[in-house]
Amino acid sequence: MPFDSTAAQNPRVSIVGAGPGDPDLLTVKALRLITSAQVIFYDALISDEIRALFPSSAEKIYVGKRCGEHSFSQQEICNQLAKAALTGQRVVRLKGGDPFVFGRGGEEVLALAAHGVSTDVIPGITAAVGCSASAGIPLTHRGLSQGCTFVTAHARSEDSKELLAVDWSALAASNNTLVFYMGSARPALITEQLMNSGMSGAMPVAVVENGCTHRQRVFQGTLETLEALINSHQVKAPALIYVGEVVSFMNELSSLTQKNINSHQLVY
Ligand code: SAH
């Protein structure tokens, strides 16, 4: 790899959002940075179709966290990113969706700054937004939902306080469309907490698995039956859970909108 003295004087990592999986949903800037990268660190959410765009000459380093695999700690990832940038290479840190939505992008900016490495952050289409369009669930709809809230239902085992920080009563009372990231392993908790906070068990819910990819599956049910819905279809991550009246539009809207993900047929 040729040594780039300008880059070495100003070491930089581009933290790039790859969107929810469909390569057509990459931003122009993301595509430009990916195709000119010398080193790409990518995580488990990066689809095969997006990986196919990596230059053959680039060093590709997988730093994802999948069950049964060695996973890099956040600190190891940042150390490796800094090391690569300090050699003067064009480094891309590619993340699913948007780097600043449950993506730990902020932590990486801070850690790299501590290493003397500057960053630029390229936004991506976050899963809640991408899957809303591909499943036909409007996040807001006049008269039904004036806002939307993105929440994580995931609690790290070593830090269960994260869960306690969720204000379920405020969520239930908000009338917002709720979108739960990392929630497919905790449906009973979502149902219990929202119903205890006064939300009706008949509230429509939808689960979108592998949204915006040719493996997308979408299931519709009610808050009360969310766990049964997820278990009966053996939903696996990555999946999102939508909770709100807007979900009732799904069948009508999805039949009216074109589904054209990489020319593959969506699975319903
Ligand atoms: N930064 C990412 C989110 C990372 S957290 C973003 O902005 O989208 C990982 C969670 O995102 C997954 O557990 C799942 O809840 C959600 N997710 C990401 N990609 C998804 C996809 N293609 N379909 C459904 N959910 C997805």
Side-chain angles (χ1 to χ4, degrees):
M1 195 63 67
F3 184 75
D4 180 340
S5 61
T6 323
Q9 280 158 21
N10 179 20
R12 190 168 59 164
V13 171
S14 298
I15 302 180
V16 178
D22 178 356
D24 286 352
L25 294 179
L26 284 168
T27 62
V28 174
K29 197 165 188 176
L31 184 62
R32 187 165 55 71
L33 286 163
I34 290 168
T35 53
S36 62
Q38 292 171 302
V39 189
I40 303 178
F41 292 82
Y42 64 98
D43 68 24
L45 287 172
I46 304 305
S47 65
D48 294 346
E49 291 91 338
I50 290 177
R51 286 211 305 276
L53 300 170
F54 292 0
S56 54
S57 58
E59 190 183 347
K60 297 128 189 136
I61 303 168
Y62 173 70
V63 289
K65 299 173 180 70
R66 280 194 195 117
C67 295
E69 287 178 354
H70 166 75
S71 63
F72 292 88
S73 70
Q74 194 60 36
Q75 194 182 349
E76 279 172 316
I77 294 172
C78 291
N79 289 346
Q80 284 202 43
L81 285 169
K83 204 169 143 196
L86 289 164
T87 62
Q89 301 182 84
R90 284 190 299 279
V91 181
V92 163
R93 167 70 171 116
L94 194 59
K95 289 171 169 290
D98 183 89
F100 280 175
V101 180
F102 307 124
R104 307 189 77 170
E107 289 169 54
E108 292 184 5
V109 170
L110 293 172
L112 287 165
H115 282 279
V117 174
S118 62
T119 40
D120 51 349
V121 178
I122 315 305
I125 295 180
T126 190
V129 171
C131 297
S132 132
S134 68
I137 305 167
L139 286 171
T140 66
H141 195 83
R142 204 151 49 95
L144 268 192
S145 164
Q146 276 64 252
C148 56
T149 307
F150 300 163
V151 199
T152 175
H154 180 79
R156 283 175 290 157
S157 49
E158 77 271 25
D159 182 13
S160 57
K161 288 195 195 90
E162 202 178 320
L163 252 192
L164 297 174
V166 175
D167 185 344
W168 294 96
S169 309
L171 287 181
S174 70
N175 266 333
N176 282 1
T177 304
L178 307 178
V179 190
F180 288 93
Y181 286 67
M182 296 172 271
S184 56
R186 312 189 72 88
L189 176 104
I190 293 171
T191 297
E192 183 191 314
Q193 294 292 335
L194 289 176
M195 286 183 65
N196 283 349
S197 304
M199 191 179 276
S200 162
M203 180 65 83
V205 301
V207 179
V208 183
E209 178 192 72
N210 284 310
C212 304
T213 74
H214 60 277
R215 286 173 293 137
Q216 171 169 300
R217 296 196 299 161
V218 183
F219 305 106
Q220 198 176 351
T222 61
L223 182 58
E224 209 161 23
T225 59
L226 177 62
E227 186 176 29
L229 187 71
I230 285 181
N231 289 344
S232 65
H233 295 286
Q234 302 190 334
V235 172
K236 304 256 170 349
L240 289 175
I241 298 167
Y242 290 79
V243 180
E245 298 290 354
V246 288
V247 169
S248 55
F249 280 98
M250 201 178 90
N251 291 338
E252 193 184 348
L253 290 191
S254 67
S255 68
L256 293 172
T257 57
Q258 233 186 0
K259 298 175 195 71
N260 183 22
I261 295 171
N262 281 336
S263 316
H264 290 285
Q265 193 65 40
L266 295 178
V267 182
Y268 274 90

